[in-house]
């Protein structure tokens, strides 16, 4: 992965990440956030995957149902945020819409994506510190804004 800081404004840092073929996108973005101490950010991305896994949250079971996407797909939209998790580490939460060969789409919670040929990520860090906390009643970790 190549990366470059595009902005040096103290109120917001903007980075561009360009992932290489074969990289697993969720892990690469998460690693970049950890290495750069990013605790609050939003992100958008476009590109393509050779394979991916998305998920649908089953509220009744309070669990994610994985949906494998085999074969090449276009990343039509990948949006998300980064906040500190309960473990004190940056936590990536993103959703993705993938375009398939026949023009149909699959989408959901972004679990993993193997890049081919590229994924271009714009990450906007803010000076605020966001915290994601596990909500046992929902079975999800959500951003917790203080009162």
């Amino acid at each position: 992965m190549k990366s470059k800081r595009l902005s040096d404004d103290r109120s917001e840092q903007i980075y561009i990440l360009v992932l290489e073929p074969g990289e697993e996108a969720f892990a690469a973005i998460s690693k970049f956030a950890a290495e750069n101490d990013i605790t609050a950010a939003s992100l958008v991305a476009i590109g393509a995957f050779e394979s991916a896994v998305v998920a649908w949250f089953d509220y009744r079971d309070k669990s994610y149902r994985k949906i494998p996407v085999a074969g090449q797909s276009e990343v039509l939209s990948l949006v998300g945020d980064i906040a500190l998790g309960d473990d004190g580490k940056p936590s990536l939460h993103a959703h993705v819409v993938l375009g398939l060969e026949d023009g149909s789409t699959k989408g959901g919670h972004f679990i993993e994506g193997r890049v081919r040929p590229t994924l271009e990520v714009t990450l906007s860090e803010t000076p605020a510190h966001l915290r994601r906390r596990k909500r046992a009643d929902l079975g999800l970790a959500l951003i917790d804004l203080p009162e």
Side-chain angles (χ1 to χ4, degrees):
M1 171 178 52
K2 297 177 184 173
S3 66
K4 182 176 183 174
R5 185 171 53 200
L6 300 178
S7 164
D8 203 16
D9 182 338
R10 293 195 191 282
S11 65
E12 181 179 56
Q13 298 288 330
I14 300 173
Y15 300 88
I16 183 85
L17 315 178
V18 180
L19 280 67
E20 303 288 334
E23 283 189 273
E24 197 290 298
F26 191 95
I29 297 166
S30 295
K31 181 179 178 185
F32 179 85
E35 288 176 349
N36 289 277
D37 198 29
I38 295 174
T39 61
S42 62
L43 63 95
V44 295
I46 57 171
F49 294 140
E50 67 181 60
S51 63
V53 177
V54 299
W56 176 77
F57 185 71
D58 186 334
Y59 187 76
R60 289 172 295 159
D61 294 342
K62 308 235 182 320
S63 65
Y64 284 99
R65 293 189 187 173
K66 291 183 178 179
I67 304 164
V69 181
Q72 190 72 22
S73 63
E74 294 284 327
V75 177
L76 303 176
S77 175
L78 190 154
V79 297
D81 59 44
I82 295 172
L84 284 180
D86 284 337
D87 60 1
K89 297 178 183 175
S91 170
L92 171 61
H93 177 219
H95 290 194
V96 66
V97 179
L98 302 173
L100 306 179
E101 179 180 23
D102 65 358
S104 65
T105 58
K106 284 199 177 184
H109 184 80
F110 180 52
I111 302 290
E112 66 182 61
R114 185 74 49 196
V115 174
R116 184 174 64 191
T118 190
L119 186 71
E120 301 164 346
V121 181
T122 303
L123 192 146
S124 300
E125 181 183 22
T126 61
H129 294 283
L130 296 177
R131 181 74 184 204
R132 194 178 315 282
R133 295 193 189 281
K134 179 80 171 189
R135 294 260 318 260
D137 60 324
L138 299 175
L140 293 168
L142 303 176
I143 290 178
D144 182 29
L145 296 176
E147 295 294 326

